[in-house]
Amino acid sequence: MHGSIVRCIVEAQSSLRSIPKQIRLGSASMRRFVAVTVTMLCLLLHVGSVQAANPSVVKRAAVASIDRHSAEIIHLSDQVWAFAETALREHRSAELLAGYAQAQGFRVERGISGMPTAFLASFGEGKPIIGIMGEYDALPGLSQQATATKAPLVQGAPGHGCGHNMFGAGSLGAALAIKEQIEAGKLKGTIRYYGTPAEEAVGGKTYMARDGVFDDVDVMLAWHPGDRTMADTVSSQAMVDVIVEFKGRSAHAAYDPWNGRSALDGVEVFLHGVNLMREHIKPSSRLHYSIVAGGDVPNVVPENAKVWLWARDWQRTEVEDLLARVRKLAEGAAIMTETSSSLSVQAGSWELLTNLAGARLLNDNLQWLGIPKYSAEEDQFARAIQRATGTDVMGMSASIESLEGQEPEGGSTDVGDVSWVAPTLHLTVATAPRGTPSHAWPVVATGGMSIGHKGMLFAAKTLAATMVDLYERPASLKDVRAEFEKKRGDVRFKAYLPDGPPPLPAAASHE
Ligand SMILES: [Zn+2]
């Protein structure tokens, strides 16, 4: 790293010398001034990477803490993996993580924003306040053993097809590493772990952001298990989730159909409009729907019909535009079919507001720590999964993606909502073989064995090291916040939610 500073200075000085003498700055003292300035600039440019290459004692201690607690963190992840509880039913998972945090000395507040499975664990006092998110909800129908062939653990049961078992436990490990440094008097400020349920449905963070629980946080961090490793510089898609209902008039479909007005006709005309509109929306926009009610039997003119529709784009402003047009289509369809229509927003999330200053910190720490090494058995396991899923057989990703040129992938997350309230640094770490599909059995399989464990601990260390940077280097924290304020401008987060509490599942069904 020192070599690159020297190279920078030498190159800068030689390019100064190559400027023709007649236009070079005049006096010797002025030339000296320029030389010193260039040297200072080179030092400044390299200061971030030098600090990452020469990690502080505290940073090393935070990473060592994760090594010391690694068996516990892995055990937490494996238990959440086995519980495999879906959105807002994560009772055992949330209690496991909250209980562990409490046992480690965090102050724990259970039940946030009307969600019994949301919690906040905090330690320390005053500024800066650094927060880290954890998720722990599973996906329906993805039950899978930790094997390289598709084999459900319990047929039809949920499984961790998005790796949130690792997300929840890994983030808690990072928070614990910071807590220990604050406790030892090595860092000053507050660490918060946000237990955020229901990412896959409902959007727990959207309710939490609506209720202001992130408002006083200086910087938030999150990560996600994936098939590659990188400090994320690309956004996620903004989306809105709406229900469009039509109400008609029931009648006997053969005896007096003229007395009926079909709600299903309303749905058909509406969706025809939606599909014609596709030709006239931006290529970045997505509309997808399902008909969730369309009458019961053919001989009754349907009185009620219902469409569930999502609109997405990389920009929330485009989503707003789509929503306004979808509203008009619903109104128009009701007029044409002499029915009535209503549109209600159920949920949604904003696009992730990326933060390059933060991504650089994450990236420096990824580089310093280095990709985990995989054993021959793990490599075989990864390749077997790739063969089973018909993807290129190349094992685990062996590199850290650069900050430039990252390809955006479709999808939305409620982390996006948080990123408009507090600057949010986002990391992706490989816990599954390169190229294997997400929300599918391979993610469940590797998330329950050593490949997933290694990725999770690597993520925890990177996040902890980056948090140490934010506590120890006020200038870095200031850069992250300045970029956030500049990008956010005058826009203030407003949740895509109806008023009122989140839709909790029936208490009886905590399976
Ligand atoms: Zn996920």
Side-chain angles (χ1 to χ4, degrees), residues 70-112:
S70 62
E72 291 162 27
I73 301 166
I74 287 170
H75 190 51
L76 291 173
S77 172
D78 284 354
Q79 283 176 278
V80 173
W81 182 87
F83 293 153
E85 298 166 297
T86 55
L88 297 180
R89 297 172 194 268
E90 318 95 329
H91 294 273
R92 283 181 292 176
S93 307
E95 187 43 45
L96 177 74
L97 298 172
Y100 179 77
Q102 201 162 21
Q104 292 295 326
F106 282 87
R107 296 182 298 274
V108 176
E109 191 187 333
R110 291 170 171 82
I112 310 268

Side-chain angles (χ1 to χ4, degrees), residues 135 162 164 199-200 224:
E135 295 175 1
C162 207
H164 294 179
E199 192 276 336
E200 298 292 0
H224 204 287

Side-chain angles (χ1 to χ4, degrees), residues 135 137 139 161-164 167 199-200 223-225 412-413 438-439:
E135 295 175 1
D137 60 326
L139 284 156
C162 207
H164 294 179
F167 185 168
E199 192 276 336
E200 298 292 0
W223 74 287
H224 204 287
S412 310
T413 169
S438 183
H439 284 203

Side-chain angles (χ1 to χ4, degrees), residues 246 261-262 265-266 268-270 272-273 328-340:
F246 286 86
R261 296 293 182 269
S262 169
D265 287 354
E268 289 189 57
V269 172
F270 166 68
H272 188 59
K328 278 192 213 161
L329 291 171
E331 286 162 15
I335 293 169
M336 287 178 74
T337 54
E338 297 177 274
T339 57
S340 64

Side-chain angles (χ1 to χ4, degrees), residues 202-263:
V202 179
K205 294 179 206 71
T206 310
Y207 284 89
M208 294 166 87
R210 180 191 71 179
D211 295 352
V213 304
F214 305 104
D215 285 358
D216 60 346
V217 180
D218 291 294
V219 181
M220 287 296 302
L221 291 94
W223 74 287
H224 204 287
D227 68 338
R228 291 173 296 165
T229 295
M230 60 195 157
D232 294 289
T233 55
V234 293
S235 186
S236 59
Q237 289 168 315
M239 63 89 71
V240 66
D241 167 332
V242 299
I243 291 284
V244 182
E245 280 183 276
F246 286 86
K247 198 161 175 49
R249 198 162 66 235
S250 184
H252 192 299
Y255 178 73
D256 64 340
W258 50 87
N259 284 325
R261 296 293 182 269
S262 169

